[in-house]
Each structure stands twice: as structure tokens, then as C-alpha cells.
Amino acid sequence: PVYTPATAEAFATYGVVDAGAIAQPILPPEDVYPQFGGLEITTSSTALQALTDAVLYLVSYPFDCSEQLASRILAIAALRDVLEAFQAEGLPAPAEIDAAVQRDIEALQNLQNADGGFPIWTKGRESWPFYSVHAAHALARARQKDYAVSDETIQRALTYLREIEAHYPHWYSVDARQTLTAYALYARLQLGDHDPARARALLDEAGLEKLSPEALGWLYNVLIGDAASSEALQRLERHLGNRVVETAGAAHFITSFREEDAYVLLASDRRADGILLEGLMRSQPQSDRSKSDLIAKLVKGLLAHRQAGRWGNTQDNAFVLLALDQYFRTYEAQTPDFVARAWLGEDYVGAFTFQGRTTDYQNLTLPMSYLVAQPGEEDLILSKEGAGRLYYRLGLRYAPTDLQLASLDQGFTVQRTYEAVDDPADVAQDAEGIWRIKAGARVRVRLTMVAPTRRYHVALVDPLPAGLEPMNPALAVTGSIPQDPADQSQPYWWWRWTWYEHQNQRDQRAEAFTSLLWEGIHTYTYVARATTPGEYVAPPARAEEMYAPETFGRSGTDRVVVE
């Protein structure tokens, strides 16, 4: 039998040292494999290194709808000139990233519908206004960074953006329509189609109090630099100054949406802060101390909202990275000349030297075998001597030895069972809960997902045990797959719609997606073949809201024996 860890876990914390030293308590995790992971100490004289996990999140994000393709293109294209600063383990070389971005651009272009808009998953399906504007914005940013983008794609997208108000479904609220129009004007600006007159008209039509901070941020960027918009720009800046929430060290804008609007706009508080931050930086000279202080507070507030080194979803990460990239280029004026030293308890770990302006980082790793040998909690001391600011990242990676994870409900209940397709004796579950499957047999995997209330943009993912191979009905060589008997028991089963809009069957997992999931019990099934005898771990099946991943649920770990 071959066993691999059921999961790997990672945590990271970031900080800065202007003078003196900091102490960070380190408690080695228990019941982990000493051969895997460790404590990573990454230092830099620029805060660019603090974006590593957010960039990695976008680079490695496993789903590929039009929004996720566009968000990945947006962030990575914006950071193209500084990606050499992100030399964390797992990040591809710059040339590989360029090639991956070009592939994403081509994939996104291939999704464009005849009306110039973009669907969520499949060309020919309905064009969604937000996804269409977002895709056009991403292609504009990519073209600005000299990536190859089709002129025909751009022109069709521009036509769609200029006529955006004709594409709104009748049930869109007034707030959603106004926000989408503002985003379309911003995307047109990025494409060189500047229309400040329409932006001023939207401000007058809606009124400052009625527009969301996101809409105001997009309009703000459109109005900057237009002489005829100076009075409107002053009103908008005064309004924003009254809407910002500040503390001694951080600031943010408060925004809220109706559930239906959040669904069609993929709304986010952090995205709004990123959009407004970009506008403030474009409009304010560095000599304006009070406004520069507000900008710095917004940056600190955004960085404070990271979890595991990144923001909550692809929308947050894309827009925040766009704004922070501009901030780092505009406001980091220090000339570093310092030495940083690190100790773990009484053990000297190493030194990091920085001289002159550079985006280089320095990294060292204390292996997990060393950490678990420590007697208990130890302080990691990081000190700095000399001029400049030290940015640091402390990351801990480990793999638990426990292969059995219990089920968990944080917004979804998920269950998984294996069923025989051809002979009831092919699949059985013994008294210890281990699934036993006959080699060569076809197996129906049944996932049951319970949503207690309406959920948005849901992904259901089931990792396969290594001895099973999915049978993809989209491939001609697969042959026919028997209909699920549970479906046939329902009246008019042959024309009923599935709850999911899109599915992928990959060699190591099956995926199902929907943009709107109603409350209730939902079932997803697929057929796999038991190809390789052996004993395997099936990691938990997981359901999550892609744009609110804290809303999730998982099944327990299963043991599968193919014999």
C-alpha cells in the first residue's frame, strides 16, 4: 500500500522592522512529518515580497472560468516588470509565467461571444455583463504590458462596453446597473476610449449618496485629468473623505450590497478599497502629506486583511495587487543600507545584507526536522542595523501525519459514497468503513451536498483515490455510461436540468460549478473505473463559495482498497 498525506497546511505572517528588533514566538506543530516543510524566513528591503502568496494564489488557482482567467491576467500583467521579486518556492520562472499569461489570454479570447461579451464557462452561453467588462479590462491591461491581444477581440469588447446598458437583464437593480456602467467606463479608459462626459452624467443621475464606493472609485479614475470634470472631481473627493473609516494606523471604506447585487457584481469590500486606492494615488501628489497619509493607511488596512498571505478570492487579489503595485512604485523611496540578523531561541540562524535599491529577497529555511527537535516554544528574533526598512515573511509549512480528517460543516454539508455500476458485489463498505472495490469494476461516485440557504458561485470538488480513473463522457473513447438509477426514478428525468452549470473530470479530481445554488439537497454523480489494485486514501470532498471560501464544507477522509 502507498499512503500520502491527506493534506498539507501552511501559515504565514508578515511584518516590518524600522529599527531595533522583533520577537515572534514559534511553536513547532505536533504529529507532522519531519521530512516535509519547515520554517521559511524571507527578507526584503521592499514590501513587494509580501505579495508572494497572493501572486502564487492567482498563478495556481485551479478553476478557469472567464472571471478567474481575467483576474489572473490582470494581476500578473500588472506585476510583469517586478515578478523577479517573487522568487518563492513554487513560483514559475518569468518566461514560464509570460507563456502562461499568453495562454490565459488566448483562452479568454476563445470564450468571447458574437455580441462582444463573455459567458462564465462556455462560449455560446449567455454573456454576463460583469464578466464581460472584467474580461475587457484584463485584456486592456495585458495589451498595456505588450502581451499579444487580438484587435478584433478588443473592438468587439469595446462595442459591448459602449452599449453596456442595453445588455442588462430586466431584473438587475438600479444599483447594480449603475455600478456596472461605472466599471464599463473604467475599462473603456484602459482601452483608450475615455468618456468623462458619461461619467459626470452618471454622477448627476445617481447622486453621490446612491453610488457604491466601487462605482465611485471607477468614476474617480475616469474623471482624473479631465479639465471639464474638476468641479465633479472635487465633490467626489469631498464625499469620499466623509465616507472613509480611519484608525490611528489603518483605513478602509464601508460598502454593502443586496444579495442579488453581490451575486451579479462579485462584490467585495477589499476590492472597493483597492479601486479607490488607485484613484487616490493617481490624483494626489506625494507632497500632499494628509492625503499621502490616508493612502498609506489604506495600504496598511488592505495588508491587514490578508489571510495566509492573500486576500479572500480572485477579485480581491486582482484589484488589490493592481493598486499595491502602483503604491510600491510611487511611495517606496527609501535607500536601504542595513544588515538583518535572526536567532531562534539562543541559536544564531543567519544574516541578511541589503545595500542600495533592489527588489531582491533573501531566504533561508529551518527544516521541520530541526523544529520538532526543539524542546517547545521558542522566540524567533529578527533585528536590523542600518538605514532602511526591513520587510519580512515568516512561513510555516507542514503535513499532518493523521490521514483521517473528520467531516466539517462551515456552510455546506458534504457526503460521499461509492456504488457499483455493473454488479452489486463490485463495491462494498466493511465494518471499519473501508471501501472495497473489485479491480476493473466501474464505480459510481455519489456526492450529496446540502446548502441551508442560497449560495453563490459554488465549486464542488472531489479528489479521487489514486487507484480510480474517471470515465469522461465527453471523450469518444469512453463509450456509453449507464444512467444513474436515482435519476431515472424521477418523473421526466430525461429533460431535467442539473443544478450545476459546468463540470470538469480531471485525472485526479472531479469538479462541478454553479453561479447560483438554491437551498436544499443537491446530488452530483460521476463514474470511475478501478484501474490499479492497492490501498489508497481518498481526501475529503469539498464544497465552497469561490468568492467567499470561508463558507465551505467537507466530507471525511475515506480509505479505498482496490482488490
Side-chain angles (χ1 to χ4, degrees):
V2 176
Y3 299 102
T4 60
T7 186
E9 298 180 346
F11 297 91
T13 184
Y14 295 82
V16 299
V17 180
D18 289 312
I22 61 97
Q24 172 65 51
I26 303 294
L27 181 64
E30 298 178 351
D31 301 321
V32 298
Y33 289 104
Q35 305 94 329
F36 178 87
L39 176 64
E40 300 170 347
I41 305 174
T42 304
T43 59
S44 173
S45 58
T46 171
L48 283 171
Q49 58 86 20
L51 303 181
T52 296
D53 289 329
V55 175
L56 283 170
Y57 167 72
L58 289 169
V59 169
S60 61
Y61 196 76
F63 310 133
D64 290 331
C65 78
S66 57
E67 182 278 329
Q68 289 142 7
L69 287 169
S71 292
R72 191 156 61 220
I73 293 167
L74 271 173
I76 298 176
L79 296 168
R80 182 182 186 182
D81 297 334
V82 293
L83 280 176
E84 291 184 359
F86 302 108
Q87 295 296 320
E89 181 181 352
L91 189 69
E96 294 179 40
I97 292 178
D98 276 351
V101 171
Q102 196 62 56
R103 288 195 299 271
D104 284 346
I105 291 170
E106 292 171 4
L108 190 58
Q109 290 180 150
N110 290 335
L111 283 175
Q112 189 178 39
N113 285 330
D115 64 358
F118 291 80
I120 299 179
W121 289 107
T122 307
K123 183 174 183 175
R125 292 289 188 96
E126 175 190 6
S127 295
W128 282 55
F130 180 86
Y131 288 74
S132 301
V133 178
H134 194 57
H137 178 202
L139 294 174
R141 295 279 188 168
R143 174 174 276 194
Q144 291 170 11
K145 294 293 184 177
D146 298 324
Y147 286 103
V149 181
S150 164
D151 289 337
E152 181 182 358
T153 299
I154 293 295
Q155 290 307 312
R156 287 192 307 200
L158 263 177
T159 299
Y160 186 96
L161 295 180
R162 289 167 181 156
E163 301 170 352
I164 186 68
E165 292 169 335
H167 296 286
Y168 299 149
H170 67 88
W171 52 273
Y172 275 26
S173 70
V174 172
D175 291 344
R177 292 166 185 257
Q178 292 169 343
T179 301
L180 283 167
T181 299
Y183 190 15
L185 288 167
Y186 176 82
R188 287 173 58 190
L189 171 67
Q190 302 301 324
L191 288 166
D193 187 30
H194 194 194
D195 192 356
R198 179 66 186 103
R200 293 195 303 273
L202 180 58
L203 279 177
D204 293 337
E205 294 165 12
L208 287 170
E209 295 293 337
K210 297 293 185 180
L211 290 169
S212 70
E214 288 180 321
L216 292 173
W218 281 317
L219 294 177
Y220 190 16
N221 279 276
V222 174
L223 296 176
I224 292 169
D226 177 57
S229 303
S230 58
E231 189 275 333
L233 198 61
Q234 290 176 2
R235 287 190 292 117
L236 199 157
E237 288 179 346
R238 186 164 52 249
H239 175 78
L240 290 174
N242 293 331
R243 293 284 292 272
V244 69
V245 177
E246 290 187 69
T247 64
H252 69 276
F253 291 91
I254 296 178
T255 184
S256 63
F257 292 85
R258 299 187 310 167
E259 282 193 0
E260 292 79 2
D261 292 346
Y263 163 54
V264 301
L265 297 172
L266 309 184
S268 161
D269 291 345
R270 306 287 75 75
R271 182 177 72 183
D273 287 347
I275 296 164
L276 287 162
L277 174 61
E278 181 188 0
L280 287 169
M281 287 186 292
R282 290 185 58 222
S283 66
Q284 312 302 345
Q286 295 189 51
S287 58
D288 189 332
R289 181 60 182 272
S290 63
K291 293 177 180 177
S292 293
D293 286 347
L294 174 59
I295 290 169
K297 287 185 177 183
L298 285 170
V299 170
K300 190 169 183 179
L302 284 171
L303 293 174
H305 277 91
R306 291 172 300 169
Q307 293 184 351
R310 62 174 177 83
W311 292 270
N313 56 54
T314 52
Q315 281 287 300
D316 285 351
N317 282 271
F319 279 94
V320 172
L321 286 173
L322 285 173
L324 290 184
D325 176 53
Q326 182 177 339
Y327 170 80
F328 295 133
R329 293 175 177 278
T330 305
Y331 289 93
E332 269 196 2
Q334 301 174 9
T335 302
D337 185 7
F338 63 83
V339 176
R341 296 180 175 88
W343 292 263
L344 183 61
E346 296 182 356
D347 294 340
Y348 178 69
V349 172
F352 314 90
T353 302
F354 293 91
Q355 291 182 325
R357 200 173 302 280
T358 176
T359 57
D360 290 344
Y361 80 102
Q362 298 182 35
N363 180 71
L364 65 84
T365 300
L366 303 181
M368 185 58 66
S369 57
Y370 168 77
L371 293 179
V372 297
Q374 302 304 304
E377 180 178 307
E378 297 274 11
D379 280 343
L380 178 73
I381 308 296
L382 197 59
S383 70
K384 182 186 75 71
E385 296 178 3
R389 169 173 283 193
L390 169 67
Y391 294 86
Y392 66 85
R393 174 187 183 270
L394 306 178
L396 187 65
R397 294 195 304 147
Y398 60 90
T401 56
D402 188 0
L403 299 178
Q404 294 297 127
L405 298 177
S407 60
L408 184 62
D409 180 353
Q410 294 291 331
F412 293 93
T413 300
V414 181
Q415 296 178 340
R416 175 177 57 199
T417 58
Y418 298 99
E419 304 171 0
V421 173
D422 301 307
D423 184 342
D426 287 343
V427 180
Q429 188 176 28
D430 65 21
E432 297 180 354
I434 298 175
W435 293 95
R436 299 188 177 275
I437 302 172
K438 182 180 178 181
R442 293 190 296 182
V443 182
R444 177 170 285 107
V445 184
R446 184 178 303 277
L447 304 176
T448 302
M449 175 177 59
V450 181
T453 188
R454 188 188 314 173
R455 303 294 188 199
Y456 302 109
H457 301 283
V458 174
L460 177 63
V461 180
D462 182 35
L464 276 81
L468 270 60
E469 195 74 23
M471 300 180 66
N472 191 343
L475 303 178
V477 295
T478 300
S480 62
I481 295 178
Q483 182 68 33
D484 183 2
D487 287 343
Q488 292 179 315
S489 66
Q490 301 294 323
Y492 308 108
W493 61 268
W494 57 87
W495 61 265
R496 292 172 61 234
W497 288 95
T498 60
W499 62 265
Y500 54 89
E501 300 170 359
H502 181 74
Q503 63 176 328
N504 292 324
Q505 292 190 2
R506 305 178 184 272
D507 60 351
Q508 81 280 28
R509 67 181 186 268
E511 306 168 338
F513 306 90
T514 184
S515 55
L516 175 62
L517 182 73
W518 294 100
E519 61 271 16
I521 301 173
H522 306 276
T523 301
Y524 175 69
T525 65
Y526 64 97
V527 176
R529 188 179 294 277
T531 58
T532 309
E535 300 182 25
Y536 305 98
V537 171
R542 179 184 175 94
E544 68 173 38
E545 285 192 320
M546 290 186 289
Y547 299 100
E550 66 276 8
T551 304
F552 74 96
R554 69 170 186 240
S555 69
T557 302
D558 284 307
R559 301 286 286 272
V560 175
V561 178
V562 178
E563 52 192 10

